[in-house]
Amino acid sequence: MAQAQNYANHGRRPPLLYLAGCFLSTAATVGVGYLLVVDFSAGTLALFVVAACTAIGLLFARRFATGVQDRVIRLEERLRLERILPDELKGDIGRLTTDQLIALRFASDAELSGLVRRVLAGDLTDRRSIKQAVRDWRPDHQRV
């Protein structure tokens, strides 16, 4: 069973394999870059390009995956807000930013309306302050 989620433990960091891959591909790029400067050849240049593309590709792969998840969360939360918010707040859903929607996903259904009011009033503006205001945490264990 998963541990209860809260502000202190909700963050998800890239797995060790991803970090090791980024480190190794960056180290290979630097190493081959050194060889390229010391002993230039077409083969070394090709190896440098492959190493650099691998390092950049790994960084972009993580960025693209989280970008797609942010879009899905934005859609899920807009649908959830349409279902839960009182009628007078439903017209303001479009005023919420993606970052605010992403932070609000942790709020329970019972406290969501109050938090949305505070966000729209400007009391809570960024992800951190919104997540810290959540009292009844709704966990998200599927984030990559």
Side-chain angles (χ1 to χ4, degrees):
M1 184 171 164
Q3 175 185 10
Q5 221 175 55
N6 56 45
Y7 179 76
N9 71 5
H10 82 284
R12 179 108 186 216
R13 303 292 173 245
L16 183 59
L17 183 60
Y18 169 76
L19 292 174
C22 286
F23 173 76
L24 291 174
S25 63
T26 302
T29 303
V30 170
V32 174
Y34 174 76
L35 287 175
L36 191 62
V37 171
V38 172
D39 182 28
F40 182 83
S41 71
T44 309
L45 178 61
L47 190 58
F48 176 78
V49 170
V50 169
C53 288
T54 302
I56 293 168
L58 283 171
L59 295 173
F60 276 110
R62 172 75 179 161
R63 176 94 168 107
F64 292 160
T66 55
V68 169
Q69 280 196 330
D70 288 350
R71 291 177 61 108
V72 171
I73 291 168
R74 184 179 64 201
L75 174 62
E76 288 175 340
E77 288 308 306
R78 283 183 176 166
L79 291 172
R80 179 176 173 229
L81 291 172
E82 280 288 332
R83 185 175 42 86
I84 293 173
L85 290 181
D87 290 338
E88 71 268 9
L89 286 177
K90 288 182 181 179
D92 292 324
I93 293 173
R95 290 180 41 207
L96 297 170
T97 67
T98 299
D99 279 351
Q100 291 168 337
L101 289 167
I102 289 168
L104 285 168
R105 81 183 186 275
F106 295 112
S108 68
D109 290 353
E111 68 181 328
L112 188 60
S113 295
L115 285 172
V116 169
R117 278 188 174 85
R118 290 179 64 192
V119 169
L120 292 171
D123 297 339
L124 304 170
T125 55
D126 61 357
R127 283 189 194 194
R128 182 179 196 167
S129 63
I130 295 168
K131 288 191 271 188
Q132 287 175 333
V134 173
R135 297 292 165 236
D136 186 15
W137 201 268
R138 184 174 156 248
D140 179 2
H141 297 291
Q142 296 179 347
R143 179 83 187 213
V144 170

